[in-house]
Amino acid sequence: MNSKSSKFGRLYLIVIFLLLYIPIIYLIVYSFSTGTTMDNFHGFTLRHYQDLFADKRMLAIFLNTILIALLSSLISTVIGTIGAFNISNAKRRRTKQVLLSLNSILLVSPDVIIGASFLIFFTALSIPLGFWSVLLSHIAFEIPIVLLMVLPRLNEMSPSLINAAKDLGASQSQILSDIVIPFIQPGIISGFFMAITYSLDDFAVTFFVTGNGFTTLSVEIYSRARQGIDLEINALSGIMFIFSLILVVAYYFIEHQNQSGSSKKKRRLEERH
Amino acid sequence: MKRLLIVAAGILLICLGLATGSDALQKSSGDTGDKVLNLYNWGDYIDPALIAKFQKETGYHVNVETFDSNEAMYTKVQQGGTSYDITVPSDYMVAKMKQSHLLLPIDKSKLTGMNNYGSAYLNKSFDPGNKYSLPYFWGTLGIIYNDQYIKPGSIKHWNQLWNRKYRDQIMLIDSARDIMGMSLIADGNSVNITNTQQLLSAKNRLVRLSPNVKAIVADEIKMYMADGEAPLAVDWSGEAAEMMSQNSHLHYVVPTEGSNMWFDNLVIPKTAKHFKAIYKFLNFMSQPQNAAQNAEYIGYSTPNTAAYHLLPKATQADQQFYPKDSVLKRLQVYKNLSPQKVEQYNDLYLEFKMHH
């Protein structure tokens, strides 16, 4: 009975993964086609990749997109984590609830509305559209996500840990750096990576706040789609896929290292006893 | 904590590298600084080789930004966050931007290529005397048919769509002004009519078309027609060109009694700053060999008659995209109607869709 259900489970998993990955594989395979459309595969060529690397504008947009993703995620992770501290430290439950609801409102409000408000906001303050406006708005919509990833870890932490540290004479900063941060580190890391994915694929907000020659891939690809997407975009998607793969591998290693690091610490503690 | 800080520092370093890389790329593709031109264009609507050529010839660096609808472009120009120097609205949007005082007049004395444009493409109702706009590309509304189901050459008139034998066989592009316009032309009226009686009759004519209509769809119509989902469709020439490149059984016809003629135009929005570069660019794009190269890349019809004569003979003779003068004369351009009339067009069209 047990082996039967696990067989079914494995089959189910295989089907799900095929459904998820076939379109991507299809897309990448066609980036090597000699044709100009995705109708049928004619023959192998690297031309679309050459076109892509010759297209300096496209490459600059690609670098900008990753730059915005990394930088905005880093900053929003810092701000979001501090925000999570403050919410979890809130004395009254009511306040906590209100703050959390305010955070959720930002998560569920439509991107178009956020984008339009940012456009009005930036023009009202006469901040020129471009790198800074895109960065600021990405940070803004990533903070709620980070906060939501960090908060559960903070809530899980037993207050007696901090009390014990205080009893042993640890200072505020020692408590933070030696106890709280290591404990919530997995939350911080997953928050950071979630923020990156949000930043990479956001179109609606970004469309409104790009300007002065600064754009990201989502905006560029979307406006090209009107003419039918050419295979240069397929090549680009292939590269983006590999970039995401690297991110996931990096995430895996960081997680893995953390675990082995903490188990080493444990062992050392045990040896001392 | 320490490890997190190290990771953060590493990410910052990568960011620095990315920033310098993108900066270097932008610099190497042209001179930055004040010698720039900010072009706000539809996605993939200019041959990138022409941009490179322009930068090399004049030393001005072109910043290209892209949009996907007239309305989106209008919003960003109106907000004025970026100093766009040139943008490319369609005909009715030129009129709307003009009304909202978003455009600057074009100084004709600085233009060198004006006489390259055909008179059939100038002085249109959306911008009399071309005070604010230069035509960039143009096209028509017409009928696409699949020769696997319909005898080649048999479709010539709008009225044929109402024929009972095409029951459930026609796809329409979902656009109020275009479909109402088609019905108005079939009725023998102008596409800019404001008379309520005639508009009602056009709607009733559309209701009579309902049994023949298979679907009213937006951009997906290209995909459906290329896949042979329906034998007939009503769509724009630019869209037709794309369908035909994917399916050789498709043909495009501009009915002989006339049709709508649309234009995409180069205009100078009021946010413009780099006027020297603007006129250099307008003149560059008016040059016959450049306009011809662009037309070959995009595949739409060029209003530049001198460029038209440089196109391959087969393209020149293609009546689907460069119709005969007799048809050309019957093409009508949409006027910018009052908001009340636009609403009436939309309401009547909606009634037809609901009936369908």
Side-chain angles (χ1 to χ4, degrees), chain A residues 183-222:
Chain A
F183 191 84
I184 61 168
Q185 193 161 312
I188 295 177
I189 292 168
S190 45
F192 175 74
F193 281 95
M194 277 299 272
I196 287 186
T197 54
Y198 266 71
S199 168
L200 281 181
D201 75 2
D202 178 78
F203 164 74
V205 176
T206 317
F207 171 78
F208 284 101
V209 293
T210 45
N212 294 314
F214 188 89
T215 28
T216 64
L217 278 178
S218 54
V219 176
E220 177 67 16
I221 292 177
Y222 194 82

Side-chain angles (χ1 to χ4, degrees), chain A residues 15-246:
Chain A
V15 171
I16 293 288
F17 270 95
L18 280 181
L19 279 178
L20 285 176
Y21 280 92
I22 282 177
I24 299 175
I25 294 168
Y26 185 75
L27 197 82
I28 294 176
V29 165
Y30 271 97
S31 71
F32 295 106
S33 162
T34 39
T36 49
T37 56
M38 280 177 69
D39 298 342
N40 35 16
F41 197 87
H42 296 288
F44 178 85
T45 177
L46 285 175
R47 202 186 69 212
H48 303 295
Y49 286 88
Q50 284 164 354
D51 283 354
L52 178 67
F53 284 110
D55 192 345
K56 281 180 182 155
R57 190 174 102 78
M58 208 60 184
L59 281 184
I61 293 176
F62 177 68
L63 292 187
N64 286 342
T65 308
I66 295 176
L67 171 66
I68 287 283
L70 286 177
L71 200 57
S72 66
S73 307
L74 189 66
I75 299 172
S76 59
T77 305
V78 174
I79 300 176
T81 309
I82 297 171
F85 283 147
N86 286 324
I87 290 186
S88 89
N89 285 344
K91 289 267 148 47
R92 288 169 52 200
R93 260 196 83 194
R94 269 287 289 283
T95 340
K96 208 184 246 184
Q97 277 308 321
V98 169
L99 286 174
L100 260 179
S101 312
L102 284 176
N103 188 54
S104 317
I105 289 173
L106 280 180
L107 267 182
V108 295
S109 49
D111 281 359
V112 181
I113 307 285
I114 297 181
S117 342
F118 269 122
L119 181 61
I120 295 167
F121 175 71
F122 287 133
T123 30
L125 294 183
S126 62
I127 296 174
L129 299 179
F131 174 77
W132 293 107
S133 63
V134 176
L135 184 72
L136 284 175
S137 43
H138 276 220
I139 291 172
F141 71 69
E142 284 162 14
I143 289 174
I145 300 151
V146 175
L147 209 145
L148 223 58
M149 303 296 273
V150 175
L151 210 55
R153 289 294 295 187
L154 271 176
N155 290 340
E156 258 173 46
M157 200 168 74
S158 144
S160 43
L161 264 177
I162 294 174
N163 288 340
K166 273 185 189 156
D167 286 347
L168 292 170
S171 67
Q172 256 331 310
S173 65
Q174 271 176 321
I175 292 176
L176 196 70
S177 69
D178 289 349
I179 295 170
V180 182
I181 299 248
F183 191 84
I184 61 168
Q185 193 161 312
I188 295 177
I189 292 168
S190 45
F192 175 74
F193 281 95
M194 277 299 272
I196 287 186
T197 54
Y198 266 71
S199 168
L200 281 181
D201 75 2
D202 178 78
F203 164 74
V205 176
T206 317
F207 171 78
F208 284 101
V209 293
T210 45
N212 294 314
F214 188 89
T215 28
T216 64
L217 278 178
S218 54
V219 176
E220 177 67 16
I221 292 177
Y222 194 82
S223 45
R224 277 190 181 209
R226 194 184 68 107
Q227 297 260 31
I229 291 191
D230 66 63
L231 293 184
E232 192 184 318
I233 301 293
N234 284 34
L236 187 65
S237 311
I239 293 176
M240 282 298 274
F241 182 72
I242 290 167
F243 175 75
S244 325
L245 212 64
I246 293 173

Side-chain angles (χ1 to χ4, degrees), chain A residues 59-60 63-64, chain B residues 15-28:
Chain A
L59 281 184
L63 292 187
N64 286 342
Chain B
C15 286
L16 199 72
L18 286 169
T20 41
S22 118
D23 203 44
L25 272 173
Q26 259 155 10
K27 263 192 194 130
S28 74

Side-chain angles (χ1 to χ4, degrees), chain B residues 317-334:
Chain B
D318 192 346
Q319 288 188 11
Q320 303 174 87
F321 299 105
Y322 294 99
K324 283 183 293 193
D325 282 348
S326 57
V327 179
L328 207 56
K329 258 182 226 145
R330 294 212 182 89
L331 296 177
Q332 309 172 34
V333 177
Y334 295 134

